[in-house]
Amino acid sequence: MDSKKYLDDISEIKNMMSRSSRFISLSGLSGILAGIYALIGGYLGYLILYPSSWKFDTYEEMELSILSVAAGVVFLAVITAFILTYRKANKSGEKIWDASSKRLLANFLIPLVTGGIFVLLLIRLEYWVLIAPATLIFYGMACLNASKYTLGDVRYLGITNIILGLFSAYFTGYGLWFWILGFGVCHIIYGTLMYFKYDRK
């Protein structure tokens, strides 16, 4: 009995240390919804990029439409993630803004913001074929970097997106489809797995 109690105490201490160093209230459902938003955005992107779908008077109008769709997808994904993560944190008694969540956010944003600036430069120089690979690779790096401060499963989403980004850079002309696969399908699969692994407990 003493041995079992000792092991239980050790396990509880490890859990407490993990909770204090990692933000574990990420919502799997937010990943699913982010994937759905990305699929919708990918469909709209397809309509914009292929002349047989929508017509634009100028190149700038098409560029602005693509950026608007991308910004809309990001905005909806961020707002959804915040709301659902906030609700989950409240249920589990975890603070949404503490040392662990600050470390998570900082390590996620550094590669992400860097990638965002890089993508804006690509747009400025009209290197369109590199935009999808760049967004996938930098987002994957952001997930990989942040995984040290949250659920370890996030690293697999990051690695998958990095690999897809590299394939996208090689198979130029299929960037939109790799983007849909990485941000849409992979997010839905990841979010579903996380929902059943963590959220339903």
Side-chain angles (χ1 to χ4, degrees), residues 101-112:
S101 61
K102 290 176 184 177
R103 286 193 296 267
L104 167 63
L105 190 61
N107 282 271
F108 181 74
L109 285 179
I110 290 171
L112 194 69

Side-chain angles (χ1 to χ4, degrees), residues 109-122 134-135 138-139:
L109 285 179
I110 290 171
L112 194 69
V113 171
T114 303
I117 295 171
F118 182 69
V119 167
L120 289 176
L121 293 174
L122 292 177
T135 54
F138 277 100
Y139 178 72

Side-chain angles (χ1 to χ4, degrees), residues 10-39:
I10 292 295
S11 178
E12 182 62 25
I13 291 172
K14 287 175 64 178
N15 288 334
M16 290 174 62
M17 291 178 64
S18 176
R19 292 181 69 90
S20 64
S21 62
R22 291 172 177 256
F23 184 76
I24 59 175
S25 287
L26 293 181
S27 169
L29 185 57
S30 67
I32 296 172
L33 291 174
I36 293 172
Y37 300 150
L39 291 180

Side-chain angles (χ1 to χ4, degrees), residues 63 67 113-128 130-131 134 138:
E63 182 180 300
L67 292 175
V113 171
T114 303
I117 295 171
F118 182 69
V119 167
L120 289 176
L121 293 174
L122 292 177
I123 294 172
R124 175 69 178 81
L125 297 172
E126 298 184 5
Y127 292 151
W128 292 100
L130 294 179
I131 291 175
F138 277 100

Side-chain angles (χ1 to χ4, degrees), residues 2 8 25 27 29-30 52 54 87 97 104 106-107 112 114-115 121 124 131 147 163 169 172 186 190 193-194 200:
D2 290 340
D8 289 342
S25 287
S27 169
L29 185 57
S30 67
S52 59
W54 288 351
R87 288 176 57 188
W97 190 244
L104 167 63
N107 282 271
L112 194 69
T114 303
L121 293 174
R124 175 69 178 81
I131 291 175
S147 65
I163 293 172
T172 57
C186 287
Y190 163 80
L193 292 174
M194 293 304 96
R200 296 193 64 180

Side-chain angles (χ1 to χ4, degrees), residues 76-93:
L76 289 174
V78 169
I79 292 298
T80 301
F82 176 80
I83 293 172
L84 294 179
T85 298
Y86 180 80
R87 288 176 57 188
K88 184 179 177 182
N90 276 345
K91 287 182 180 179
S92 61

